[in-house]
Amino acid sequence: MRDLVRETRLSAANLVAPLFITEGDSREVVASMPGVERLPVADAADQATALALLGVRSVILFGIPATKDAAGSAASAADGVTQRAVRAIKAATPELVVITDVCMCEYTDHGHCGLVAPDGTPLNDETLPILGRIAVSHADAGADVVAPSGMMDGMVEAIRAALDAAGHERVAILSYSVKYASAFYGPFRDAAGSSLQAGDRRSHQMDPANAREALREADLDVAEGADMLMVKPAMAYLDIVQRLRERHPALPLVAYHVSGEYAMLKAAAANGWIDERATVLETLVSIRRAGADAIITYFTPDAARWLRDGTP
Ligand code: PBG
């Protein structure tokens, strides 16, 4: 009876698996994210195939380059780590939707999401053409969706124009529309090597105290041509997920259950303080209930297996 009248469904098809790709040829553990590894390109392709067999439809890729510089120039290289990973995954599992994170922070030596002035101020408008080039290089490699995560004003419009000019009209844009300046990203910066050398991201990432501003951010992205919207992080921002669901009913909405949210559940479960499977599935269904169509989560492989094996 409970199953018959259930309002919200969670399935592997709702989950997106983040993959960290390294240029090296061995897997590297991420200390603050138990169960997550940085994968060489070939291993990432194998992992993507295994996920597809579990019913997962999509992966989002974060490349970790061997070299960084002030302009993040490795980010748009045709043979860059993300571009090679896209090609390998699309060759192995063409039906999988490949999303790429479009940002400069993994590629810059200072760790900022774009070009910065000597005093550390982000240079928003100067960064936009670079984001366009990065997105086109991902699309050239075969990405289905590009996901700009740097919260630069005008990024969706700039990327849409660059993609269209390069003949990639069919590549979609998933905008990290509402991204808070959150302490929950800590483990990700460890995984992606994107910690800031100086300064912070509060000039462009949102104040956790603001909700109405989130509507404005989303409205701007929709006007600029975003195909899907994202709220990030997820658990502490379910009110924002719900508001965006109501504000833009026609657009797919994605929530990013981020690294710190993963690490907290993992740590409590490892100590025997909570039941991992039960708390993770409860968390994910709550994010769906709030209004997210899809959830980016590091629990994707485990959750897909648990969902396949059924409720205990
Ligand atoms: C930026 C980016 C970040 C995350 C995803 N894309 C880091 C940041 O904004 O500092 C965080 C994801 C997570 O914490 O799981 N490229």
Side-chain angles (χ1 to χ4, degrees):
M1 181 75 84
R2 282 165 81 85
D3 196 25
L4 176 69
V5 298
R6 186 159 291 139
E7 298 174 26
T8 306
R9 306 272 165 191
L10 176 69
S11 88
N14 301 121
L15 305 177
V16 180
L19 299 179
F20 296 108
I21 325 283
T22 158
E23 301 231 55
D25 46 21
S26 53
R27 292 174 168 242
E28 298 158 4
V29 299
V30 179
S32 52
M33 300 178 72
V36 173
E37 290 178 310
R38 299 189 200 97
L39 302 173
V41 170
D43 294 47
D46 292 346
Q47 170 79 349
T49 304
L51 286 163
L53 288 171
L54 285 167
V56 174
R57 305 273 193 271
S58 181
V59 293
I60 181 165
L61 308 184
F62 297 94
I64 305 155
T67 54
K68 301 175 188 249
D69 60 28
S73 37
S76 57
D79 62 347
V81 59
T82 301
Q83 293 80 355
R84 286 195 289 121
V86 172
R87 278 191 219 99
I89 291 170
K90 276 304 209 184
T93 316
E95 71 277 18
L96 206 63
V97 175
V98 174
I99 308 174
T100 55
D101 185 78
V102 174
C103 194
M104 288 169 63
C105 67
E106 295 100 323
Y107 297 87
T108 52
D109 51 12
H110 43 72
H112 280 284
C113 302
L115 298 175
V116 287
D119 69 355
T121 311
L123 296 171
N124 187 97
D125 293 5
E126 291 81 345
T127 299
L128 297 179
I130 302 178
L131 297 180
R133 283 199 289 279
I134 298 172
V136 168
S137 74
H138 292 175
D140 286 344
D144 303 291
V145 181
V146 294
S149 63
M151 287 292 276
M152 297 292 135
D153 291 333
M155 66 184 183
V156 172
E157 185 174 33
I159 289 172
R160 185 73 270 159
L163 287 172
D164 290 356
H168 292 302
E169 291 90 353
R170 291 166 61 91
V171 171
I173 300 177
L174 162 60
S175 181
Y176 283 66
S177 303
V178 181
K179 179 172 177 180
Y180 285 92
S182 171
F184 286 106
Y185 307 149
F188 174 94
R189 293 177 186 163
D190 179 20
S194 60
S195 294
L196 286 175
Q197 299 308 307
D200 61 51
R201 292 181 168 90
R202 285 180 300 178
S203 68
H204 49 292
Q205 296 186 353
M206 277 188 44
D207 182 346
N210 289 4
R212 295 189 308 267
E213 187 187 357
L215 305 180
R216 180 162 187 250
E217 290 285 359
D219 291 354
L220 286 168
D221 281 354
V222 172
E224 289 178 30
D227 299 287
M228 310 179 205
L229 306 177
M230 192 196 300
V231 174
K232 174 183 170 194
M235 285 179 79
Y237 298 90
L238 293 185
D239 57 326
I240 309 299
V241 173
Q242 185 180 7
R243 288 206 204 191
L244 251 60
R245 171 76 297 154
E246 287 164 3
R247 179 88 156 194
H248 295 291
L251 281 179
L253 182 59
V254 179
Y256 198 143
H257 185 244
V258 302
S259 57
E261 305 181 75
Y262 174 84
M264 286 194 301
L265 288 167
K266 275 287 181 189
N271 277 292
W273 298 335
I274 57 169
D275 174 335
E276 182 175 3
R277 174 190 167 126
T279 48
V280 170
L281 293 178
E282 180 179 334
T283 300
L284 298 178
V285 87
S286 303
I287 299 169
R288 292 266 300 129
R289 189 197 63 235
D293 299 299
I295 306 167
I296 302 174
T297 175
Y298 303 97
F299 282 113
T300 293
D302 285 334
R305 260 187 299 275
W306 294 328
L307 291 165
R308 179 195 59 193
D309 297 344
T311 30

